[in-house]
Amino acid sequence: MADAAKDLASGTVGGAAQLIVGHPFDTIKVKLQSQPAPAPGQPPRYTGAIDAVKRTFAAEGPKGLYKGMGAPLATVAAFNAVLFTVRGQMEGMFRSEPGVPLTISQQFLCGAGAGFAVSFLACPTELIKCRLQAQGALAGASTTGSVVAAVKYGGPMDVARHVLRSEGGARGLFKGLFPTFAREVPGNATMFAAYEGFKRFLAGGSDTSSLGQGSLIMAGGVAGASYWGFVYPTDVVKSVLQVDDYRNPKYAGSMDAFRKILKAEGVKGLYKGFGPAMARSVPANAACFLAYEMTRSSLG
């Protein structure tokens, strides 16, 4: 089996593991990010992550934590195939001869290239996911005081049809592409560099082939935490843009959203949902990298 095919298969398994473990945390993150700003003197709809979990359970049951999972689940194979295959191909470009380990800076560049490529798939997928995850928090809010009109969607395909029909066609599915680039390129560069760097730290050198599953889990967790710690504000901007009302937009673009969030809520507004994101990133990325490494090893 060619290396590209091995990366494709391994990335698919890793992505599925990441999605199953991490999606409930992601749902809470998006609810916190996209909830409308409260009226003066009024508390926000969700006071924090635990409150969001309790309210979601009360209103929708456990399945509410997995709302919007259909879109990323349907594309997880393609998403991780692109991410890990592009990274693998770039590693081949940088490698002077087979088997020679890359430097951490070269791993950083490979991750950046993979992040750029995967952004074109991540943007429409996440727009659909965010619409489904956020609609419970936004239901009943008026378009003049909220981030989005309270449109009820029946599922991922319903969101896609609505956007294609009412929000500018295919272009509407790529709303938020710029902040997606700003998240995926530096985020994946940092993540892959941190993953390889921590593996080498644990191994005491560049040969990491002897590391056990526990070490791979630790390295994957560190990699996930480094991803969000570096780019989280861009994810907040992306989320509010993707759930913004097409006919009565609150934000004119990425920089306008950044400025308005900063003005209205301060720096903490750019870190809404940070707790659930970090709580998700460690186990989800640990599962992803462990599944990837085990599958890749089994394929040779």
Side-chain angles (χ1 to χ4, degrees), residues 160-248:
R161 283 193 294 267
H162 175 84
V163 173
L164 289 171
R165 183 176 62 248
S166 307
E167 300 187 22
R171 182 179 179 182
L173 290 172
F174 286 89
K175 187 177 186 178
L177 182 60
F178 178 76
T180 301
F181 280 136
R183 185 191 72 176
E184 293 293 332
V185 174
N188 280 293
T190 304
M191 181 178 73
F192 283 114
Y195 179 66
E196 291 297 330
F198 196 74
K199 283 203 304 179
R200 293 180 189 186
F201 168 76
L202 293 175
S206 59
D207 183 6
T208 61
S209 59
S210 62
L211 291 178
Q213 293 183 11
S215 296
L216 296 177
I217 288 172
M218 289 176 60
V222 169
S226 68
Y227 178 104
W228 284 117
F230 192 60
V231 300
Y232 192 79
T234 64
D235 187 66
V236 174
V237 171
K238 178 197 71 68
S239 292
V240 299
L241 283 178
Q242 290 185 326
V243 301
D244 200 8
D245 186 12
Y246 178 74
R247 300 191 183 281
N248 298 285

Side-chain angles (χ1 to χ4, degrees), residues 240-279:
V240 299
L241 283 178
Q242 290 185 326
V243 301
D244 200 8
D245 186 12
Y246 178 74
R247 300 191 183 281
N248 298 285
K250 184 176 181 180
Y251 306 109
S254 300
M255 292 307 299
D256 183 54
F258 178 84
R259 285 192 293 265
K260 286 181 176 177
I261 293 170
L262 201 59
K263 181 177 180 181
E265 304 175 64
V267 174
K268 69 178 183 179
L270 294 170
Y271 284 89
K272 289 189 296 185
F274 184 69
M278 291 299 286

Side-chain angles (χ1 to χ4, degrees), residues 3-4 23 31 36 39 41 75 82 85 103 112 117 136 143 155 166 202-203 217 251 259 283:
D3 284 344
H23 194 79
K31 283 178 178 287
T75 57
V82 171
T85 302
T103 65
T143 57
S166 307
L202 293 175
I217 288 172
Y251 306 109
R259 285 192 293 265

Side-chain angles (χ1 to χ4, degrees), residues 3-300:
D3 284 344
K6 293 176 184 178
D7 285 329
L8 188 154
S10 303
T12 299
V13 174
Q18 180 185 47
L19 187 64
I20 292 168
V21 172
H23 194 79
F25 296 96
D26 190 64
T27 296
I28 298 304
K29 171 182 74 72
V30 172
K31 283 178 178 287
L32 291 173
Q33 287 177 338
S34 57
Q35 64 178 325
Q42 297 296 316
R45 180 179 179 88
Y46 303 116
T47 57
I50 300 300
D51 184 50
V53 171
K54 290 179 179 178
R55 288 176 177 265
T56 300
F57 259 85
E60 306 171 67
K63 68 179 182 181
L65 294 174
Y66 282 91
K67 184 171 284 185
M69 188 173 172
L73 186 62
T75 57
V76 66
F79 184 96
N80 285 280
V82 171
L83 186 67
F84 283 95
T85 302
V86 171
R87 178 207 178 204
Q89 293 302 299
M90 290 193 67
E91 284 182 330
M93 291 170 55
F94 283 115
R95 190 168 282 122
S96 58
E97 57 184 81
V100 176
L102 301 185
T103 65
I104 299 303
S105 60
Q106 287 173 325
Q107 290 287 355
F108 184 90
L109 292 175
C110 291
F116 178 82
V118 85
S119 294
F120 293 99
L121 183 59
C123 185
T125 300
E126 295 222 349
L127 183 141
I128 292 170
K129 174 180 68 70
C130 286
R131 294 283 180 94
L132 290 170
Q133 290 173 323
Q135 66 179 349
L138 299 167
S142 68
T143 57
T144 56
S146 71
V147 181
V148 70
V151 178
K152 283 289 186 180
Y153 302 110
M157 293 306 298
D158 190 34
V159 178
R161 283 193 294 267
H162 175 84
V163 173
L164 289 171
R165 183 176 62 248
S166 307
E167 300 187 22
R171 182 179 179 182
L173 290 172
F174 286 89
K175 187 177 186 178
L177 182 60
F178 178 76
T180 301
F181 280 136
R183 185 191 72 176
E184 293 293 332
V185 174
N188 280 293
T190 304
M191 181 178 73
F192 283 114
Y195 179 66
E196 291 297 330
F198 196 74
K199 283 203 304 179
R200 293 180 189 186
F201 168 76
L202 293 175
S206 59
D207 183 6
T208 61
S209 59
S210 62
L211 291 178
Q213 293 183 11
S215 296
L216 296 177
I217 288 172
M218 289 176 60
V222 169
S226 68
Y227 178 104
W228 284 117
F230 192 60
V231 300
Y232 192 79
T234 64
D235 187 66
V236 174
V237 171
K238 178 197 71 68
S239 292
V240 299
L241 283 178
Q242 290 185 326
V243 301
D244 200 8
D245 186 12
Y246 178 74
R247 300 191 183 281
N248 298 285
K250 184 176 181 180
Y251 306 109
S254 300
M255 292 307 299
D256 183 54
F258 178 84
R259 285 192 293 265
K260 286 181 176 177
I261 293 170
L262 201 59
K263 181 177 180 181
E265 304 175 64
V267 174
K268 69 178 183 179
L270 294 170
Y271 284 89
K272 289 189 296 185
F274 184 69
M278 291 299 286
R280 168 192 177 274
S281 67
V282 175
N285 282 280
C288 176
F289 278 104
L290 177 62
Y292 171 84
E293 294 279 15
M294 291 181 67
T295 305
R296 192 69 167 79
S297 178
S298 69
L299 293 175

